[in-house]
Amino acid sequence: MRASTRAPSHARTDTPTTHSLTFARARTTQPRPRTHARARPSAQVLAPATGEVIGNVAVSGAEDVEAAVLAARAALPGWRSLTCKSRAAVMFKFQQLMVTHMDELVDLIMLEGGKNRQEAVGDVAKGNETVEWACSMPQLMPGQLLAVSRGITCHDTRDPLGIVTCIVPFNFPSMVPMWTCPIALTAGNCVILKPSEKVPLTMNRISQLLKEAGLPDGVFQIVNGSVPTVNALVDHPDVKAVTFVGSSKVAEIVAKRCRAINKRVLALGGAKNHLVALPDCDAEMCARDIVASFAGCAGQRCMAASVLLLVGDTGDLLDRVCAKAAALVAGQQNGQVTIIIALTSRLYP
């Protein structure tokens, strides 16, 4: 299934203004020809800044999850048999490709995520920092030798688990998947990613960069969808571990489902962040940072402050916060507030 997407009107003139992206269940393998046509459900991809439909993504079902697991199972022996140094070499190439294609990825994040350019640049850059860290894993994987008693030595090593799945949210299309995927891959695992169906374009393109960096077919795959897709991934007996980032409510559901079948799980939920202002605070600096905290990325990030506690006499701090908030301008240029503040509840219930 193909989806044509338009770049933001302010996109660089030296980058493509149209992206033609293919959504399939295995991003590092070529889709096999089908012997008969079959209707597949799809979900619209919207541009939060305009509300326009910018593409359609095929929704993966249990059959697609099974096919992805089979492909990963076939790829696993060859991938895990490589030295960690060889796997890290792929990450080195991938890291450089992320730098080379920074502008293209930024445009995609702005288009499907609604962020302003500065926020989108940070999304890609922070994710790529984790890729850089994954390149150092050859120094970590050998483990350590411990002389625990006279004549007794313990040797701990780090071995790949097998097939793991990463379920990620919409608010950071590049950074959050990079928290887990590069590390799991460099450790010798095969990864099946389930991105948010609201922002599938960025990781679709990044998966192509992984392929270009030398990742073998079947080692990294993407399935799209919502609850049924997640349940199929969590319940599959060949998926050995699950990572999740999203709301606290869903994180608890995923964690309980995994623990019920004794499956490894790391489920990260939201947070309620508090800021405390004391009488000796720098009112101007605090007001600027407070507004940046709750308004940046339209407030759709785990570090967004939602509560401000004023202790004692803080002068005109609150007035400064209100004035700076009133001066916010909606838009996607640097310094502007992304329009998804007003659309979040409608587009991302």
Side-chain angles (χ1 to χ4, degrees), residues 14 27 44 73 76 82 118 131 146-147 155 161 199 216 238 260 264 283 331:
D14 58 342
R27 290 271 48 86
Q44 291 182 336
R73 190 192 300 164
L76 181 61
L82 297 177
Q118 185 177 18
V131 179
L146 300 173
H155 182 202
L161 295 174
V199 289
D238 287 338
R264 296 187 190 214

Side-chain angles (χ1 to χ4, degrees), residues 30-302:
Q30 294 296 323
R32 295 179 180 179
R34 297 181 181 271
T35 57
H36 61 280
R38 180 171 62 88
R40 297 173 58 82
S42 63
Q44 291 182 336
V45 182
L46 304 179
T50 63
E52 291 182 285
V53 176
I54 56 174
N56 291 278
V57 58
V59 175
S60 305
E63 176 186 330
D64 298 305
V65 170
E66 181 64 31
V69 170
L70 288 175
R73 190 192 300 164
L76 181 61
W79 180 244
R80 74 187 305 172
S81 68
L82 297 177
T83 63
C84 187
K85 180 181 178 181
S86 297
R87 297 191 295 263
V90 175
M91 288 299 118
F92 271 111
K93 295 177 183 177
F94 173 58
Q95 190 274 339
Q96 188 55 51
L97 287 170
M98 291 283 285
V99 173
T100 301
H101 293 272
M102 167 74 82
D103 288 332
E104 179 187 0
L105 296 174
V106 166
D107 285 343
L108 281 174
I109 291 172
M110 293 176 68
L111 179 66
E112 67 176 351
K115 295 189 178 191
N116 67 34
R117 178 161 290 276
Q118 185 177 18
E119 293 166 349
V121 168
D123 193 334
V124 177
K126 296 300 291 185
N128 211 18
E129 286 181 8
T130 310
V131 179
E132 293 172 358
W133 188 90
C135 293
S136 71
M137 288 182 63
Q139 283 70 49
L140 303 175
M141 289 291 286
Q144 57 184 337
L145 290 172
L146 300 173
V148 296
S149 185
R150 185 186 301 273
I152 300 177
T153 302
C154 289
H155 182 202
D156 70 77
T157 59
R158 293 175 171 85
D159 297 317
L161 295 174
I163 302 171
V164 301
T165 188
C166 304
I167 304 163
V168 295
F170 74 90
N171 55 340
F172 286 90
S174 173
M175 183 184 74
V176 175
M178 295 301 105
W179 285 353
T180 52
C181 293
I183 298 170
L185 290 169
T186 309
N189 300 287
C190 289
V191 174
I192 301 175
L193 175 73
K194 208 298 287 184
S196 169
E197 67 277 13
K198 309 296 184 183
V199 289
L201 308 182
T202 302
M203 281 309 301
N204 182 86
R205 182 64 182 113
I206 288 175
S207 72
Q208 295 169 356
L209 298 182
L210 280 167
K211 173 70 174 177
E212 186 177 342
L215 202 68
D217 290 350
V219 173
F220 179 81
Q221 299 173 85
I222 290 177
V223 293
N224 295 287
S226 55
V227 175
T229 311
V230 170
N231 290 344
L233 288 167
V234 169
D235 295 344
H236 201 290
D238 287 338
V239 173
K240 301 304 180 183
V242 175
T243 68
F244 173 88
V245 180
S247 69
S248 295
K249 177 182 177 180
V250 180
E252 184 176 7
I253 293 172
V254 171
K256 287 182 176 179
R257 193 177 186 102
C258 288
R259 289 169 185 154
I261 55 177
N262 200 29
K263 181 167 294 188
R264 296 187 190 214
V265 58
L266 173 65
L268 303 179
K272 197 73 171 178
N273 298 300
H274 294 68
L275 296 178
V276 180
L278 302 178
D280 62 346
C281 70
D282 183 323
E284 178 61 23
M285 181 186 72
C286 286
R288 182 184 66 246
D289 291 346
I290 289 167
V291 173
S293 177
F294 72 71
C297 295
Q300 295 299 312
R301 56 184 175 185
C302 56

